[in-house]
Amino acid sequence: MLDTIQKITQLTQFNLDALLHPIDKTTFFKENWEQTPLVVKRATKAFYQPLFSIEMVDKILFYNRPQGRSLRVVQQQQPLLPSTYENPDGSLNLNQLYKAYGSGYTIVINEIQRYHEAIKQLCSNIKEELSHHVVANMYLTPPNQKALLPHYDTHDVLVLQVHGQKEWRIFDTPFETPLLHSHQPVFQENQLTGSQSVVLEAGDFMYMPRGVPHYAFTQEDSSLHLTIGIHPSQWVDLFIETLNVMAMQEVAFRKALPVGFHKAQHFDAAQISLFKEKFDQLLEHFTKNVNPQSALGMLSNKFEQSKQIAGDGHFAQLEKRTSLNLENVVKIRTGLNATVYHQGAVARIAFSGNTIKGPAHILDALNFIANSEGTFLVRELPNMTDKNKIKLVKRLIRGGLLKIV
């Protein structure tokens, strides 16, 4: 059983399929996603060891120095002042963190994917699968303690129990699928109904939809778990982006609101009627001329731009490009997708964190590159002189899209 599970996690580099195993992903999206919690119990305590372990926590704290919002030391919702465990030079005083942990405080590392390659890869895999933004946090809790009071999250959460044991209390949902990044209330337990208890042991997995009230605590064992927060793009985001697209095209949507609009509570009936009439006109025009396809393209482009390519030795590529020739084999770097745009005399190729533009006559070459599914020779670029082929590929290596194989 252990060999089988380790093969799954290694082959997939820990993606959503591996986390859900043996639950089918199609079943998960049909029955649980944005609906009800899911718990996967496993008899293999070492399931997450290739991903993370309790031995790695001190190293991340010592070498990466997470500070500010990246590190919280908290007990019963009350955080410890950072001055307690931060040295004047910005380093962390591990002895003070050990002391706090021994006194019942939970160590929380937010956005831990910034400090750990395997967790970063997991977040990238899930982000690519779901087309939603993904962030990972770590919680290390001593025995017989509780870090947070009952609350719900405004994003969906995947819980990976890495070490030890933790009990979760889950309640009925008072507010279904809250708006992302909206207010997250803290409850008293007697304000909630429908309490259920779930005990997660090392190797177990849980999915918690946003809006489901919960809290967790340890008993005799300490606990180390990771939460993978899924921050979705919502329908409201598509509406906003669609309206932005229309506002770029239609001057009526860009006009200023009437002078004194902030005193609307004092408007008389005639003023309110005029205001509503104009609003209804714009709304009618929006409804008749809406083009969600353009807005989807904008959201997709923003999503691609938000991706962070992992460090893969690209500085060495910058050295190699000086001797580039037509017979070099190149490819798009792993994890990148490229989109080509053409506007008048300008062609652009956009990818994670960068956009490179040039004259429209390089459009065929850019499309060739964006649609390539593997390696290609520099000389294969279409409709360009040999000199310009080398020049373009050098530019795209420098910009971070291509690499020499």
Side-chain angles (χ1 to χ4, degrees), residues 303-332:
F303 181 78
E304 290 296 330
Q305 290 284 316
S306 72
K307 292 180 180 178
Q308 293 180 328
I309 188 69
D312 57 358
H314 199 66
F315 279 109
Q317 291 285 323
L318 300 180
E319 298 292 327
K320 292 180 181 179
R321 75 187 180 98
T322 57
S323 58
L324 187 79
N325 62 67
L326 292 172
E327 302 307 313
N328 278 125
V329 179
V330 296
K331 63 178 289 188
I332 291 177

Side-chain angles (χ1 to χ4, degrees), residues 196-209:
Q196 300 178 49
S197 176
V198 172
V199 177
L200 295 186
E201 299 175 293
D204 292 347
F205 167 86
M206 181 169 64
Y207 162 70
M208 184 77 70

Side-chain angles (χ1 to χ4, degrees), residues 29-70:
F29 284 117
K30 181 180 179 180
E31 299 181 1
N32 301 102
W33 177 247
E34 292 191 311
Q35 299 173 67
T36 59
L38 169 69
V39 176
V40 177
K41 301 289 291 182
R42 297 190 176 99
T44 308
K45 294 184 181 297
F47 184 83
Y48 297 114
Q49 292 305 300
L51 177 70
F52 196 64
S53 68
I54 192 170
E55 288 79 13
M56 298 177 184
V57 178
D58 318 59
K59 293 180 180 179
I60 287 179
L61 292 171
F62 181 75
Y63 289 109
N64 298 105
R65 298 186 178 191
Q67 292 178 300
R69 67 176 187 176
S70 296

Side-chain angles (χ1 to χ4, degrees), residues 20 82 124 177 243 290 321 326 356 383 388:
L20 290 171
S124 297
T177 314
L243 189 56
V290 64
R321 75 187 180 98
L326 292 172
I356 294 174
N383 302 327
N388 284 337

Side-chain angles (χ1 to χ4, degrees), residues 312 314 317 324 328-336 369 372-378 393 396-397 400-405:
D312 57 358
H314 199 66
Q317 291 285 323
L324 187 79
N328 278 125
V329 179
V330 296
K331 63 178 289 188
I332 291 177
R333 292 168 69 194
T334 303
L336 289 184
I369 293 168
S372 63
E373 296 182 355
T375 60
F376 59 91
L377 294 171
V378 175
V393 172
L396 293 178
I397 292 173
L401 177 63
L402 296 180
K403 65 181 293 184
I404 301 170
V405 179

Side-chain angles (χ1 to χ4, degrees), residues 38-306:
L38 169 69
V39 176
V40 177
K41 301 289 291 182
R42 297 190 176 99
T44 308
K45 294 184 181 297
F47 184 83
Y48 297 114
Q49 292 305 300
L51 177 70
F52 196 64
S53 68
I54 192 170
E55 288 79 13
M56 298 177 184
V57 178
D58 318 59
K59 293 180 180 179
I60 287 179
L61 292 171
F62 181 75
Y63 289 109
N64 298 105
R65 298 186 178 191
Q67 292 178 300
R69 67 176 187 176
S70 296
L71 179 64
R72 292 182 68 203
V73 183
V74 63
Q75 182 183 44
Q76 297 277 356
Q77 208 77 32
Q78 298 301 314
L80 200 62
L81 289 175
S83 57
T84 308
Y85 50 82
E86 287 183 2
N87 295 319
D89 65 353
S91 62
L92 295 174
N93 188 324
L94 286 184
N95 285 331
Q96 288 299 321
L97 287 172
Y98 298 148
K99 179 180 177 182
Y101 179 77
S103 300
Y105 282 86
T106 292
I107 309 297
V108 183
I109 302 179
N110 292 320
E111 298 184 35
I112 193 173
Q113 79 278 358
R114 295 190 294 150
Y115 311 120
H116 193 274
E117 183 177 0
I119 298 174
K120 174 68 175 178
Q121 185 62 55
L122 170 61
C123 290
S124 297
N125 291 342
I126 296 175
K127 181 176 182 176
E128 189 66 29
E129 289 179 273
L130 300 184
S131 298
H132 296 310
H133 297 285
V134 176
V135 173
N137 298 334
M138 182 215 79
Y139 294 80
L140 177 63
T141 305
N144 300 304
Q145 293 297 330
K146 175 168 58 178
L148 303 175
L149 299 176
H151 66 284
Y152 64 67
D153 296 303
T154 64
H155 55 272
D156 298 83
V157 173
L158 311 178
V159 180
L160 286 57
Q161 186 67 34
V162 175
H163 169 85
Q165 185 183 91
K166 204 161 200 178
E167 183 171 349
W168 293 71
R169 293 284 168 83
I170 303 172
F171 302 89
D172 292 338
T173 305
F175 185 66
E176 184 180 359
T177 314
L179 187 67
L180 186 66
H181 302 312
S182 59
H183 175 61
Q184 296 182 221
V186 174
F187 302 96
Q188 295 299 318
E189 192 165 353
N190 59 15
Q191 295 176 288
L192 300 167
T193 60
S195 174
Q196 300 178 49
S197 176
V198 172
V199 177
L200 295 186
E201 299 175 293
D204 292 347
F205 167 86
M206 181 169 64
Y207 162 70
M208 184 77 70
R210 54 189 160 132
V212 175
H214 61 273
Y215 71 94
F217 56 93
T218 53
Q219 294 184 353
E220 298 304 315
D221 292 333
S222 61
S223 166
L224 172 65
H225 77 266
L226 300 173
T227 63
I228 310 298
I230 302 169
H231 298 242
S233 294
Q234 305 158 106
W235 279 101
V236 65
D237 299 312
L238 181 60
F239 274 91
I240 292 170
E241 201 63 50
T242 304
L243 189 56
N244 285 333
V245 170
M246 185 166 289
M248 288 188 284
Q249 301 167 346
E250 304 281 352
V251 66
F253 289 89
R254 305 197 298 267
K255 291 287 188 179
L257 288 174
V259 173
F261 76 90
H262 67 290
K263 300 177 182 177
Q265 67 271 28
H266 303 302
F267 281 3
D268 58 29
Q271 289 173 305
I272 292 174
S273 179
L274 287 172
F275 198 92
K276 186 176 186 307
E277 181 181 349
K278 182 62 177 178
F279 183 87
D280 289 343
Q281 289 174 0
L282 291 172
L283 184 60
E284 182 180 3
H285 182 81
F286 174 80
T287 304
K288 288 182 177 180
N289 298 279
V290 64
N291 180 13
Q293 185 174 358
S294 296
L296 277 171
M298 297 282 281
L299 283 177
S300 176
N301 186 44
K302 287 182 178 179
F303 181 78
E304 290 296 330
Q305 290 284 316
S306 72

